[in-house]
Amino acid sequence: MILKTKSFQNTQTPQAIAGQKQEQDVAFYLHRAFKDHPEVLVINDFRFAFNGETAQIDHLIIYPYGFVLIESKSIKGHVEVNQQGEWTRSHGSKWFGMPSPIKQVELQQALLKEMLRQHRSEIIGKLLGIKQQSFGMRCWDHVCAVSSDAVINRDTMPTAISELLVKTEFLVDKLEKIMNLKSKFMRIINVSDTRPDFNQQELNSIAKFLIERHIDPYQATTEITLPQTQQINEPVAHFEVNKAVEAKTPAIMQSATHSILSCKHCGESTNYTPMYGKFGYYIKCNQCTKNTPMKQACPHCQSAQTKITKAKEVYTLKCPNCDLLYHLTKSNETI
């Protein structure tokens, strides 16, 4: 189940555009694989603060046995890692050093683990009503998903790093191997698997705790699904970013100040007014006073068969080709 979609931002530099495209690709594969799986909960683009530190996790998976953190990395050309764990990448005929994405996600994992540990009594209950459960014995894994067109030199790469480095199209296979999910019946009868597991109510409680602590510094349009925790089989509550929800949870859901829309004439991406006319929905730029259609190609698959829908105050771009939704902006408001 996808609890939070990728937050789309207006990016300008080629590096930022490539990075966002890579995160979109990973989010797409996760959506296709786990959108209907009640025990695999996915939070894309999760940012949180704890003990004076802030961390941003590209993709976080919560499942019965623990957690998997995924760092998305756009890498064109060749990538090599020496025996000291130092990364280099090629650009044209030149080679450049780069920070280790593995070390980066390890730091994110450590902070997330500490935050959950500090709040364990609020999130998960006591074992047999006596001993407080914790997160230390759960499975904690992390991987780095790199662009599918990257060339990875695994011959000289440390085996431990090679195991954590996966191309995007093989990511779901890697995750299924890591999670090694079993049916509820098999968990009971399989005594050889000693991994402690969360029940559905605990999974929902963990997810709700994390979603409530998500920080969106860009106030980008997001779609968030919060699980209910009162009953194990209770259906989830689905929220869109609008004023009613914003008033209830201002820390995690805010009105959109940026979207994937921008004026095609002057590039203005924030100061415009949504309108409707003879040719459908469009935005009127308050900067240059010119109009731009809301309908555009899908940011993920570039399909032109998209449709614009309006529900109350929210405009949505829907792609029937890859089954993704992009919330655009609010109606009758100057953004």
Side-chain angles (χ1 to χ4, degrees):
M1 180 180 296
I2 310 301
L3 301 184
K4 178 184 174 299
T5 59
K6 167 75 179 123
S7 298
F8 293 96
Q9 304 157 23
N10 290 302
T11 55
Q12 303 295 330
T13 67
Q15 294 86 350
I17 293 172
Q20 180 159 273
K21 175 63 166 59
Q22 171 62 9
E23 290 187 35
Q24 291 175 9
D25 289 344
V26 172
F28 173 76
Y29 279 99
L30 295 177
H31 179 270
R32 279 293 177 90
F34 304 120
K35 64 178 180 178
D36 297 320
H37 202 307
E39 292 188 322
V40 179
L41 310 181
V42 181
I43 303 177
N44 294 292
D45 198 9
F46 174 54
R47 181 183 291 262
F48 67 98
F50 180 70
N51 276 355
E53 298 182 51
T54 300
Q56 188 266 330
I57 300 172
D58 290 339
H59 316 275
L60 173 63
I61 293 179
I62 311 158
Y63 70 108
Y65 298 115
F67 307 85
V68 184
L69 286 74
I70 304 168
E71 174 72 15
S72 293
K73 189 62 64 178
S74 174
I75 298 178
K76 304 293 183 181
H78 293 252
V79 58
E80 292 188 356
V81 184
N82 64 22
Q83 293 301 312
Q84 285 72 43
E86 299 166 337
W87 290 58
T88 54
R89 62 192 298 181
S90 67
H91 183 73
S93 59
K94 297 182 179 180
W95 285 83
F96 301 88
M98 61 175 287
S100 168
I102 301 300
K103 287 297 182 184
Q104 181 178 347
V105 74
E106 286 175 353
L107 292 173
Q108 297 164 358
Q109 178 178 297
L111 190 63
L112 175 65
K113 192 173 183 179
E114 180 61 19
M115 182 176 72
L116 290 174
R117 190 189 70 82
Q118 289 285 347
H119 293 274
R120 61 188 182 277
S121 62
E122 306 168 31
I123 308 171
I124 52 178
K126 295 182 178 180
L127 186 63
L128 301 177
I130 302 172
K131 184 177 180 180
Q132 174 62 53
Q133 297 186 78
S134 188
F135 295 95
M137 297 301 293
R138 312 294 175 166
C139 295
W140 287 88
D141 294 280
H142 53 270
V143 296
C144 176
V146 298
S147 311
S148 297
D149 53 357
V151 180
I152 305 173
N153 187 353
R154 297 186 185 272
D155 293 338
T156 59
M157 184 179 297
T159 302
I161 293 179
S162 181
E163 285 293 317
L164 300 177
L165 194 60
V166 58
K167 288 193 174 185
T168 305
E169 69 265 33
F170 300 111
L171 176 62
V172 172
D173 295 335
K174 180 70 172 181
L175 292 173
E176 290 177 344
K177 182 178 179 181
I178 289 173
M179 293 188 291
N180 190 21
L181 290 172
K182 295 179 172 62
S183 67
K184 294 179 181 179
F185 175 73
M186 289 303 296
R187 289 179 212 165
I188 296 174
I189 66 173
N190 190 354
V191 295
S192 62
D193 190 344
T194 58
R195 294 177 296 173
D197 62 326
F198 301 117
N199 60 37
Q200 191 65 52
Q201 189 171 11
E202 289 169 336
L203 283 175
N204 291 347
S205 179
I206 296 167
K208 184 174 185 294
F209 172 85
L210 294 175
I211 287 292
E212 288 175 346
R213 279 152 183 78
H214 169 65
I215 303 169
D216 193 345
Y218 307 101
Q219 297 184 344
T221 303
T222 1
E223 183 177 326
I224 297 177
T225 302
L226 289 178
Q228 298 287 340
T229 57
Q230 286 80 4
Q231 298 179 17
I232 293 177
N233 296 319
E234 186 175 349
V236 298
H238 180 75
F239 296 97
E240 290 181 344
V241 178
N242 56 38
K243 284 186 175 178
V245 177
E246 180 187 350
K248 294 180 181 179
T249 53
I252 63 171
M253 300 180 185
Q254 304 171 31
S255 61
T257 58
H258 295 279
S259 74
I260 60 175
L261 288 174
S262 62
C263 175
K264 68 178 182 180
H265 303 283
C266 69
E268 174 61 41
S269 60
T270 59
N271 187 18
Y272 54 70
T273 304
M275 308 284 286
Y276 180 79
K278 180 179 178 181
F279 300 104
Y281 296 111
Y282 66 96
I283 57 173
K284 181 178 180 63
C285 180
N286 298 326
Q287 185 85 2
C288 69
T289 72
K290 295 183 179 180
N291 299 333
T292 300
M294 282 193 186
K295 181 176 168 59
Q296 57 186 282
C298 173
H300 179 265
C301 69
Q302 302 304 311
S303 170
Q305 304 303 313
T306 54
K307 294 182 179 180
I308 298 291
T309 60
K310 174 177 171 288
K312 296 182 179 180
E313 294 186 340
V314 177
Y315 288 102
T316 301
L317 178 76
K318 181 175 182 180
C319 176
N321 185 52
C322 59
D323 196 28
L324 292 180
L325 297 175
Y326 305 89
H327 291 335
L328 300 178
T329 186
K330 294 185 177 181
S331 64
N332 302 323
E333 279 190 29
T334 300
I335 302 299

